[in-house]
Amino acid sequence: MPTRRALRTSPLFLLALACTVACGGGSGNGTDSDGGTDSDTDTTTTDTTTAPTTSGTTAWEEESESEPEQPVTVEWSELELRLVRGGDVLLRFPADGFQFGVVAALDDGSSYDPFFLAPDQWLTVTGAEELGGAAAVDVRLSFGTDVHARLTVTEAAPGRFHASLVPEPGGPVLAYMRLRPLVDAGEGFYGLGEYFDAAEHRGRVRAMQLEYDPQIESQYNEAHVPVPFITGTRGWGLFVADPHAAVFDVAAAAPDRVEATFGTGPDTGAGLVFHLYAANHPLDVTKHYYATTGAPKLPAPWALGPWIWRDENDDQAQVESDIATIRELDLATSAIWIDRPYQSAVGVFDWNPTQFPDSQAMIAKIHDLGLRLALWHVPYVDDDPAAAEMRAEAEAGEFFPLEVGLITSEWGEPLDLTNPAAFEWWQDHIRQYTDNGIDGFKLDYAEDIVVGLGGARTVWQFADGSSERTMHKLYQLLYHRAYAELLPESGGFLLCRAGTYGDQQNVSVIWPGDLDANMAAHREPVDDDGESYIAVGGLPAALTASLGLGPSGFPFFASDTGGYRHAPPDRETFVRWFEYTALTPVMQVGTGSSDVPWEFTPENGLDDESLAWYRQYARLHLRLFPYVWTHAQLLATTGRPLQRPLGLAYPELGVHPSDTYLLGRDLLVAPVVARGATSRKLSLPPGAWLDWWTGEVLQGDSEVTVDAPLGTLPLFLRVGGIVPLLRPTIDTLAPTTAADVDSFAGDPGLLYARVAPGPVGTRFDLYDGTALKQRLGAGSLRLEVAPGEVFTAGVDVEVVTMPPVAAVTVDDAPLTQRADAAALDAASDGWFYTADLGGTLRVKLGPGTHLARATLAD
């Protein structure tokens, strides 16, 4: 792939391309203008309906339809299980693809953690007897003379299979189980949860649990959200539904093997349940995972942010000053949260009366200003004197684990939420907050329950009979569910540090814990004014984690904008970080040093210029709500991540960067994460891509270098793409009683949109039913709008890289040309053309269904 400076083209390029298509040149068959295999059908779709009768034109030109899903089967032949899509073998489990690990005897003190331990011997398949059941595959496998197991595979739905491998009693002692499919030696691999070093996993070994690691500054491997679900870029998925300690070797030992090893120990007799998935495109594999484990819980619309928080709030006066400053400085913000300390003690559901003398008045002021409020929380009851009554009640009810292993928090052991009485007791107390105006929670810690230290157990026993062998994962489900069940049906906000498979039904948003407040990569050696450490990672780690979580079933991610450890971040770090988080589904802003964007200190280096940049990006984030929320509403059906790693969206490119992604289908985001950089290289997907800030068009299917001075995020809109937006003055997504706060919840107002016109007809169907369409022909541009249930006031469409326009009609009647942008803003409808962004046409239309046509100047 050649490397070159960005090839930029003028609006005349688009006009020439339109003429080529309209006049029958080129392909002329209505194929997708981007030419890629990311044939999304979730928002920008083919329209084959006829145009409104007022247009007097022929049918809307088609964009290419996505390929019908190819048939998927599983086959058993010659001691081999195969996953086949349309005749193409995606996965092969040969005789050594299923293995049992033998030990001399079960050891109650062993963790059976395969990251550290291995069996005495691995057994592989030596023979098979087909049992002839109703399942797609039902065979009795022999692993030598003394070990037998039943392999059963059933079709749950097209492209989705449920499988189990269950050993028969007797024979040697089994303590490990392993799946070892053969894969393509050149494909990439995504999923497996949250990792900080790379979004694609080829050549890496991933532990599915927290592990002690003395080299890194945090002392552990940072595996907060391990998910035993992996997707190959050829369009297959493997999900192992087992909570025991596990390790995935992702083509590290051999380039054509994925090895999933589970230390099942004394539970091996129950077998291993796993699922096989296949889809035409790898982005579509996640929908099968959701069908198996549950659709993700969407946060409330207002929870997309931006959020502002301090690590430590001084008192109520400071909180009230902050919310007033947010509005005085015109910083688009929908919510805040209060981190600790705010209670009399951890685990006491109150407000410290010295700090917060009138919490209800404060909550009312927060809501009045169009903000929602969340609180930091944990499942502990401190031994502080202020918590003595709560702790005594918990101890009397036996609400703590029966046996406690290693405690890593400063507030003692977590509650035993497997005990129904403890679960109900805790929820009764949570209601003391939710019934008084608290809208969500930041759920921290609760990672004390680990499977062991190295090979040795750290023993925990719970009321339901479980131990740390499974609860090191499953505790998170109980912890998060306790809060999720108390959020309103319309949505709420749970920001969670940890998670596991299926937890997406409880968790609104994942945050990665305490990243470094710098631009260090994960495990990079850092020397900071004489302090040396191996970094957890800063901005690059946040970006990488966000790209790994979407394909793992957690579509909403929000790192601390600016970082946490070693805070405050310097000016460059903070600016580059908010450039990135503005183009993510959820934007939350705060650091470990309690810096906020408007407080300038010598340590953080912030100033009026950085504040102006922050204001710009925070408002862009808020304006993108209709685009992001539409994609979010489709998660349960399409499964496609909101942030799509470039290598997963376009596997044919053969590149897998951890710093480039698509937000939805039509926005390509390439954050700058290298210190001092004022430009960056990136691989552009096929098609043409428009620079969001300048309107210049870059030709894709190439590696380009683009300018990126501080304050400018490399951001590109697919030519042919449509991005619906909220109005430029929007302040919040939450309700407000303040007349000077511009609230979407109070009035959705006009729907705005930015369009990069293309010669193939495209449309964007919003979550409320509103439909926007565009097509650039040889001599004209067609725009169509049909309102939905929310956006009923009309539209203001900005068409960029547009050649000069002679006239505009709406529903075959002339539309008034306005003198300038201000005149158009003041009018109920009209149009205006400017040379900005390579030529920009604004078309403003009133309520109702309309067809607008812009005639190009000669």
Side-chain angles (χ1 to χ4, degrees):
M1 181 180 298
T3 301
R4 59 179 183 269
R5 292 290 296 180
L7 177 60
R8 303 178 186 271
T9 56
S10 71
L12 295 178
F13 164 77
L14 298 178
L15 181 58
L17 182 59
C19 182
T20 300
V21 173
C23 299
S27 60
N29 60 1
T31 56
D32 189 338
S33 61
D34 66 25
T37 61
D38 182 14
S39 52
D40 227 337
T41 57
D42 52 8
T43 54
T44 306
T45 60
T46 302
D47 178 42
T48 57
T49 61
T50 57
T53 55
T54 55
S55 70
T57 62
T58 59
W60 189 267
E61 188 172 359
E62 292 186 18
E63 186 189 38
S64 65
E65 297 282 351
S66 60
E67 294 284 339
E69 285 291 339
Q70 298 180 16
V72 180
T73 60
V74 292
E75 302 172 355
W76 175 265
S77 178
E78 299 178 351
L79 301 186
E80 184 172 274
L81 179 71
R82 303 184 189 95
L83 178 66
V84 183
R85 183 194 61 215
D88 185 16
V89 179
L90 299 177
L91 283 182
R92 294 170 48 214
F93 294 83
D96 62 351
F98 302 103
Q99 293 185 328
F100 287 109
V102 177
V103 295
L106 291 175
D107 179 2
D108 191 55
S110 174
S111 67
Y112 293 104
D113 182 349
F115 192 76
F116 292 99
L117 302 174
D120 301 328
Q121 179 187 5
W122 284 108
L123 302 179
T124 61
V125 177
T126 58
E129 173 191 358
E130 297 195 32
L131 300 178
V137 174
D138 191 2
V139 295
R140 183 174 186 257
L141 303 179
S142 298
F143 294 78
T145 58
D146 298 327
V147 177
H148 304 278
R150 186 170 184 173
L151 173 65
T152 306
V153 185
T154 58
E155 185 179 31
R160 186 165 71 250
F161 297 88
H162 175 280
S164 62
L165 180 65
V166 182
E168 297 178 1
V173 178
L174 307 179
Y176 297 86
M177 304 184 74
R178 177 184 279 177
L179 303 177
R180 305 178 68 237
L182 287 168
V183 298
D184 188 282
E187 71 181 314
F189 306 97
Y190 288 85
L192 296 180
E194 177 192 70
Y195 294 92
F196 295 163
D197 55 352
E200 193 273 322
H201 303 294
R202 174 172 283 278
R204 301 178 187 274
V205 177
R206 300 301 198 192
M208 293 289 105
Q209 56 280 329
L210 288 174
E211 303 284 10
Y212 175 61
D213 185 344
Q215 292 185 337
I216 196 169
E217 60 177 324
S218 64
Q219 302 288 295
Y220 59 90
N221 65 345
E222 296 288 334
H224 300 283
V225 193
V227 181
F229 165 46
I230 188 169
T231 294
T233 54
R234 295 180 65 226
W236 59 265
L238 169 65
F239 164 51
V240 186
D242 193 281
H244 291 89
V247 170
F248 276 68
D249 178 310
V250 188
D256 61 350
R257 285 271 193 183
V258 169
E259 294 185 346
T261 306
F262 286 76
T264 44
D267 301 325
T268 303
L272 201 64
V273 172
F274 61 101
H275 302 263
L276 300 174
Y277 308 135
N280 285 5
H281 195 282
L283 283 175
D284 295 322
V285 171
T286 313
K287 69 183 177 185
H288 293 303
Y289 171 79
Y290 287 146
T292 302
T293 63
K297 181 180 182 67
L298 300 187
W302 51 261
L304 271 62
W307 289 73
I308 294 285
W309 63 282
R310 293 180 186 267
D311 187 46
E312 294 186 0
N313 278 105
D314 295 339
D315 51 26
Q316 180 173 335
Q318 185 185 49
V319 172
E320 293 180 358
S321 174
D322 283 347
I323 61 175
T325 301
I326 287 169
R327 295 305 178 215
E328 289 167 5
L329 294 177
D330 190 28
L331 303 179
T333 313
S334 283
I336 67 170
W337 79 67
I338 298 176
D339 221 285
R340 61 183 172 101
Y342 62 89
Q343 304 154 294
S344 298
V346 169
V348 177
F349 290 76
D350 70 350
W351 294 86
N352 186 319
T354 303
Q355 284 182 283
F356 297 90
D358 192 347
S359 61
Q360 287 304 119
M362 178 189 70
I363 293 170
K365 289 180 180 179
I366 290 169
H367 288 165
D368 287 346
L369 287 177
L371 299 167
R372 294 295 192 177
L373 175 62
L375 298 177
W376 174 91
H377 224 250
V378 289
Y380 306 100
V381 180
D382 202 352
D383 59 2
D384 186 281
E389 183 177 346
M390 279 283 293
R391 185 151 189 102
E393 192 174 341
E395 290 173 347
E398 298 182 343
F399 293 160
F400 294 114
L402 302 177
E403 187 171 356
V404 174
L406 181 68
I407 295 177
T408 58
S409 86
E410 59 186 280
W411 307 291
E413 66 274 56
L415 289 168
D416 184 352
L417 297 176
T418 73
N419 180 341
F423 190 92
E424 182 179 358
W425 178 76
W426 197 245
Q427 283 195 324
D428 285 344
H429 286 290
I430 296 170
R431 289 187 183 93
Q432 294 176 220
Y433 286 137
T434 57
D435 289 349
N436 286 284
I438 299 304
D439 304 295
F441 297 91
K442 175 185 179 180
L443 300 182
D444 206 349
Y445 287 85
E447 294 181 284
D448 312 72
I449 307 161
V450 296
V451 74
L453 288 177
R457 289 182 70 186
T458 52
V459 181
W460 293 75
Q461 291 294 328
F462 296 88
D464 69 345
S466 61
S467 73
E468 83 289 346
R469 297 192 192 279
T470 56
M471 290 302 291
H472 71 101
K473 280 191 176 73
L474 301 184
Y475 187 85
Q476 299 299 330
L477 294 170
L478 295 167
Y479 174 27
H480 300 153
R481 183 165 64 84
Y483 294 79
E485 290 179 348
L486 301 184
L487 297 179
E489 291 185 7
S490 59
F493 178 78
L494 288 187
L495 182 71
C496 299
R497 180 189 184 106
T500 188
Y501 62 87
D503 205 13
Q504 73 275 357
Q505 296 180 93
N506 304 314
V507 173
S508 304
V509 187
I510 292 290
W511 116 93
D514 301 339
L515 297 182
D516 294 308
N518 55 37
M519 302 176 78
H522 182 57
R523 295 186 183 276
E524 178 182 338
V526 174
D527 187 352
D528 183 8
D529 291 332
E531 181 186 5
S532 297
Y533 56 90
I534 303 298
V536 166
L539 173 57
L543 176 50
T544 300
S546 69
L547 300 190
L549 279 168
S552 305
F554 288 93
F556 295 95
F557 173 89
S559 64
D560 298 337
T561 297
Y564 192 87
R565 298 173 184 271
H566 315 292
D570 61 24
R571 182 175 186 267
E572 180 184 10
T573 297
F574 185 63
V575 171
R576 289 304 192 190
W577 213 310
F578 69 62
E579 289 174 9
Y580 149 65
T581 55
L583 268 294
T584 63
V586 178
M587 182 182 190
Q588 60 100 347
V589 182
T591 73
S593 52
S594 298
D595 293 77
V596 287
W598 59 86
E599 289 184 344
F600 310 156
T601 69
E603 291 76 21
N604 65 33
L606 301 181
D607 53 23
D608 288 331
E609 183 180 45
S610 65
L611 180 61
W613 286 335
Y614 175 79
R615 181 181 296 110
Q616 172 192 13
Y617 280 94
R619 181 148 282 122
L620 174 60
H621 176 85
L622 207 58
R623 294 194 68 200
L624 284 168
F625 169 77
Y627 178 79
V628 174
W629 193 243
T630 296
H631 285 88
Q633 291 289 325
L634 291 163
L635 281 164
T637 52
T638 71
R640 293 195 161 193
L642 304 181
Q643 288 179 256
R644 304 171 182 183
L646 181 66
L648 190 65
Y650 288 92
E652 71 274 18
L653 292 176
V655 296
H656 299 282
S658 293
D659 60 0
T660 308
Y661 61 95
L662 286 94
L663 180 63
R665 182 181 188 268
D666 290 325
L667 290 175
L668 181 70
V669 189
V672 175
V673 298
R675 179 166 295 283
T678 56
S679 66
R680 65 153 293 175
K681 293 182 179 180
L682 69 145
S683 295
L684 282 177
W689 295 85
L690 180 148
D691 186 303
W692 183 269
W693 310 110
T694 68
E696 294 172 298
V697 178
L698 286 70
Q699 284 307 293
D701 204 13
S702 62
E703 187 176 83
V704 300
T705 299
V706 296
D707 294 331
L710 189 64
T712 300
L713 168 74
L715 174 62
F716 306 92
L717 171 59
R718 183 196 306 272
V719 168
I722 301 170
V723 177
L725 299 160
L726 298 181
R727 54 189 175 273
T729 57
I730 199 72
D731 292 319
T732 181
L733 300 173
T736 181
T737 61
D740 57 347
V741 176
D742 193 351
S743 165
F744 167 75
D747 178 13
L750 283 177
L751 176 68
Y752 285 70
R754 178 172 288 193
V755 174
V760 176
T762 56
R763 64 184 284 165
F764 192 104
D765 292 310
L766 276 76
Y767 68 93
D768 75 322
T770 297
L772 301 174
K773 304 178 185 179
Q774 73 81 32
R775 188 186 67 182
L776 179 65
S780 67
L781 170 77
R782 291 166 53 95
L783 295 173
E784 292 189 40
V785 57
E789 296 179 356
V790 174
F791 296 101
T792 59
V795 299
D796 191 329
V797 180
E798 177 186 61
V799 186
V800 294
T801 63
M802 184 69 185
V805 173
V808 178
T809 62
V810 57
D811 305 327
D812 288 338
L815 186 65
T816 303
Q817 182 178 5
R818 305 298 177 182
D820 52 30
L824 183 59
D825 289 339
S828 60
D829 61 13
W831 68 277
F832 171 70
Y833 182 85
T834 176
D836 295 342
L837 297 177
T840 298
L841 169 67
R842 275 184 62 194
V843 177
K844 188 176 182 180
L845 305 174
T849 299
H850 300 291
L851 166 66
R853 185 192 301 275
T855 302
L856 304 185
D858 294 333

